[in-house]
Every structure is written in structure tokens, then in C-alpha cells.
Amino acid sequence: MTARKKRKSPDGTPTNDLVFSAYVGTNDEVFPFVLSLYVEPGSTVADVTYGKGVFWRNVPPDAYKLLATDLQSGVDCRSLPYQDGSIDCVVFDPPYMHTPGGTAHVDHQNYEGYYKNNLTRSEKKYHEAVLDLYFKAAREAWRVLREGGTYVVKCQDEVCANQQRLTHVEIINELQSYGFVVEDLFVVVRNGRPGVSRLLKQAHARKNHSYFLVFLKPRGRKRWAGLKNRLQITTNGTGKPRLPSAKDEEFSLFR
């Protein structure tokens, strides 16, 4: 009678401490999770719409080599001062929609005034002008990214001229034609219930979520297999990054 071979235990350990595809929270709470899966520590990251640096509030300043620029610093995301193939990751977060009254994005860059490509002399208007900005920035990101590099794009769908525009789908379809591979999508659901000052009739669902889209500039036909050296986020038990406190300065946000 032959001895039965002992069954090999599966590799890995059981856990529910995972990065998920949707979070209720804010951009600065979700962005570290995106980095933890797709951007290796020590990478050179160009945030080309840095603004007030909101995305980076929960990211240790020494985790990456951050190149922070925007129009106010004199750098246009459509014409970056970096050499071809020199950047590991590009982060892009423009205003999500046109702002004809100038008040649609409080505490955010006003689209018309900031990017100057929805003016009278512009060929494209309103939502098409927004898409044009995304597309031109993506072409420039493709140029400066190394093979295998990551392109992180923040966007939100909108209703323009009473027409539903699924911006994240339009961006994905266009960027795939450039050669980008869409690797992941994170949904950020805002806290609280958004409202309007006056409503005559509601025709479409009110947007209360946005997206982080993750694209890769492929290295040949090699598929993404995850990071060997990955930042693990320490959370506060509710799925949100744990902020270091004055009593807990020896612990990093990432370990």
C-alpha cells in the first residue's frame, strides 16, 4: 500500500487587511492606498497639478522623490520640463468640469480662469474642452513616463447641457488608444449628502463620487504582477490611514 502524499499548504496568510476598490472618504485618505499598490517606495513621482498638495497629506514626505508643479509654479501639465522616459509615476488632478459661473469648484482651481482653454477663441467648449485637457496631459505623461511607469488620474463624471457624460469611460477609451493599459479604478464616495440651492426638476442622479484611474505604460507584453517592495498602510481600524500623533511619532504612516 503506497503512502499518501501530504497535501501542501497554500502559500500566503489569511487576511482581510486589503486595499479595496471603493471608499467613503476624502482624496487624501484614498490616495495613499493607490500608491501602496502601484508605486514603489523611492520612485520619482511628478504631481503635475499639485495645488495645495491635498493628495499628499497622509503620505510620508520621504516615501517618494516628489516633483510638485502646477500652472501657478509656471509648469503646464501639457508641456512638462522632464526628459523622455525619466519619471516613474505621474499624478494628474485637474478641475473635473467647466465652471461657467466660476463657483462650481470652491477651493479648487477655476477651470476657465486656470487653464485658459475654454475661452472665446478656443476650438473646444465646455465638456469637450475638459476632455481636451485630459487628453493632451495624457500624451505628455506618456512621453515622460518610463516603460512600466504609472499614470494616476483623478476625474468625475458630469452632466453637461443636460447630457450625461461618463468622463471616466471617455478617458479610458482615449488613453487606451495612446497605448496606456488601464490597470485599476478606485471610487471615492464623498462624506455627507450633496445638495443644491434651488431645484426645479431633477433629471439625473446627483454625482457624489469620483474616481482614481490607474494606467500603466506597458513594458512590452509583460502584465502587472504587483510590487515586491510595497508600502503597507497602517490604518486606524476603520479602513482609513492612521495619522501619526504627537505621542506616536516613532510610527510611520507606512511600515
Side-chain angles (χ1 to χ4, degrees):
M1 184 174 180
T2 58
R4 182 177 296 177
K5 290 184 178 180
K6 186 177 180 180
R7 183 179 177 183
K8 182 181 180 296
S9 298
D11 295 332
T13 56
T15 182
N16 62 1
D17 185 16
L18 303 168
V19 173
F20 296 100
S21 60
Y23 293 89
V24 177
T26 55
N27 290 330
D28 60 305
E29 292 172 337
V30 180
F31 184 62
F33 291 109
V34 180
L35 295 179
S36 74
L37 281 184
Y38 290 102
V39 187
E40 192 168 5
S43 298
T44 298
V45 180
D47 187 337
V48 299
T49 48
Y50 183 76
K52 297 180 180 179
V54 172
F55 283 6
W56 298 90
R57 287 175 179 170
N58 293 326
V59 179
D62 59 349
Y64 300 97
K65 181 182 177 182
L66 176 60
L67 306 177
T69 62
D70 53 29
L71 278 182
Q72 291 181 339
S73 68
V75 178
D76 192 324
C77 59
R78 296 161 289 191
S79 181
L80 297 173
Y82 310 127
Q83 295 182 353
D84 296 359
S86 62
I87 305 296
D88 298 308
C89 173
V90 175
V91 178
F92 182 56
D93 173 40
Y96 305 145
M97 59 191 73
H98 70 281
T99 50
T103 60
H105 289 276
V106 179
D107 295 329
H108 205 299
Q109 302 101 327
N110 175 269
Y111 179 74
E112 276 77 6
Y114 200 66
Y115 284 98
K116 310 293 185 185
N117 63 336
N118 198 32
L119 304 177
T120 302
R121 64 180 181 277
S122 302
E123 294 181 2
K124 299 182 184 296
K125 296 292 184 183
Y126 309 119
H127 185 75
E128 299 305 324
V130 175
L131 288 180
D132 186 59
L133 173 63
Y134 273 98
F135 298 162
K136 288 179 179 177
R139 293 189 187 96
E140 184 67 349
W142 176 273
R143 179 187 69 80
V144 302
L145 279 170
R146 64 169 177 80
E147 290 187 355
T150 307
Y151 187 36
V152 180
V153 177
K154 191 75 198 312
C155 69
Q156 185 178 29
D157 302 334
E158 73 165 328
V159 175
C160 181
N162 208 35
Q163 180 182 359
Q164 185 74 255
R165 303 299 297 263
L166 300 180
T167 309
H168 77 285
V169 176
E170 295 174 301
I171 292 172
I172 289 171
N173 289 340
E174 181 71 13
L175 268 59
Q176 284 180 325
S177 72
Y178 301 168
F180 279 109
V181 174
V182 58
E183 196 63 40
D184 223 327
L185 178 151
F186 294 77
V187 181
V188 184
V189 181
R190 65 175 293 178
N191 291 301
R193 296 170 64 88
V196 294
S197 57
R198 296 181 182 180
L199 177 66
L200 297 178
K201 180 177 67 174
Q202 183 172 359
H204 300 90
R206 178 65 188 269
K207 312 299 182 192
N208 69 330
H209 69 284
S210 56
Y211 306 93
F212 281 104
L213 305 178
V214 180
F215 297 92
L216 297 180
K217 181 177 179 179
R219 184 186 293 114
R221 295 185 178 181
K222 187 176 181 180
R223 294 191 176 184
W224 179 253
L227 297 175
K228 293 182 179 179
N229 181 25
R230 184 186 151 203
L231 293 170
Q232 300 293 328
I233 301 175
T234 301
T235 66
N236 59 9
T238 63
K240 296 182 179 181
R242 179 176 62 81
L243 295 173
S245 65
K247 297 180 180 179
D248 197 20
E249 291 180 352
E250 67 272 20
F251 292 100
S252 171
L253 174 66
F254 296 102
R255 61 183 180 193

